[in-house]
Structure formats: C-alpha cells, structure tokens
Amino acid sequence: QVQLVESGGGLVQPGGSLRLSCAASGSGSASAMGWYRQAPGKQRELVATITSGGGTNYGDSVKGRFTIDRDNAKNTVYLQMNSLKPEDTAVYYCNAIYSGTYSDVPYEYDFWGQGTQVTVSS
C-alpha cells in the first residue's frame, strides 16, 4: 500500500509564493505524480503532473506561474507556486500512479493524499 504525505500549504498574500511537497511511501516508484486542486463548490481540476521521465503537463490557469518537479530517488514531488492569486485558493491533493506489468498482466493503481489547504488572501 502506498501512502502520500503532503506538506507546505498555508496562508499567503496575493503575489506570494508557496512550495508544496508530497512524499510517497512504500516500495516501487510512481509512473507519474501530480497535483490537483478543489475549491469550494467546484470540481477537482488538474494543476500539474510529471512522469518518471520528467515529462510535465500543466493546467491552463497555472501555466507560467507554477512549476512541478520530482526527486525519483525520494519518490517525492514538489509544486513551486509563484505569483499566487486569490483564485488559487483550494485544497491541493497529491496524486501518484503506479503502473506496469506483473506476469505479463498490466496493472495501474491510483493513490491520493489527504489534501493540504492553500489560501491566498490579503
């Protein structure tokens, strides 16, 4: 079983920065890791993802402001958030996908963290 432990959320003023971390416990290395967020009354949306090879994907609303990276040796993903706006306020969830084959049978498992609150307000 994989557990994802998030840290780094908090309260920040508009224009400020925060850095989120998410460490995955358990054996194996995630095929992809990423961050999603959910604001009150809204659906969960993509923030950013990164593959084990370093390929990244960003939601349109955060492009140019947020940067995702990962340390494969530590099975940890980071999200650097700059130029934060009030509309970035949400609970941010870490996600990890483990995929591969076992006895020639493909598998894919999806894990989520408990979420960390990010509030952007003056």
Side-chain angles (χ1 to χ4, degrees):
Q1 185 70 9
V2 172
Q3 288 189 326
L4 303 179
V5 179
E6 300 143 333
S7 60
L11 173 65
V12 64
Q13 292 186 341
S17 298
L18 280 176
R19 183 171 173 84
L20 305 183
S21 300
C22 172
S25 65
S27 61
S29 179
S31 305
M33 299 184 76
W35 294 92
Y36 293 75
R37 68 186 183 187
Q38 187 166 20
K42 294 187 176 181
Q43 290 187 330
R44 190 173 295 190
E45 65 173 358
L46 166 73
V47 178
T49 61
I50 185 167
T51 67
S52 57
T56 59
N57 184 42
Y58 292 91
D60 288 340
S61 61
V62 307
K63 286 180 181 176
R65 300 187 298 124
F66 292 9
T67 302
I68 189 169
D69 62 356
R70 66 184 284 179
D71 184 333
N72 287 333
K74 296 181 179 179
N75 229 10
T76 299
V77 65
Y78 307 94
L79 184 69
Q80 178 65 43
M81 303 184 293
N82 298 327
S83 302
L84 283 160
K85 305 175 181 179
E87 50 264 42
D88 293 318
T89 295
V91 178
Y92 284 68
Y93 296 92
C94 179
N95 172 259
I97 296 174
Y98 287 72
S99 62
T101 59
Y102 183 79
S103 298
D104 295 326
V105 177
Y107 66 86
E108 183 173 295
Y109 296 108
D110 203 6
F111 298 94
W112 292 90
Q114 79 285 356
T116 184
Q117 177 70 46
V118 171
T119 302
V120 184
S121 175
S122 55

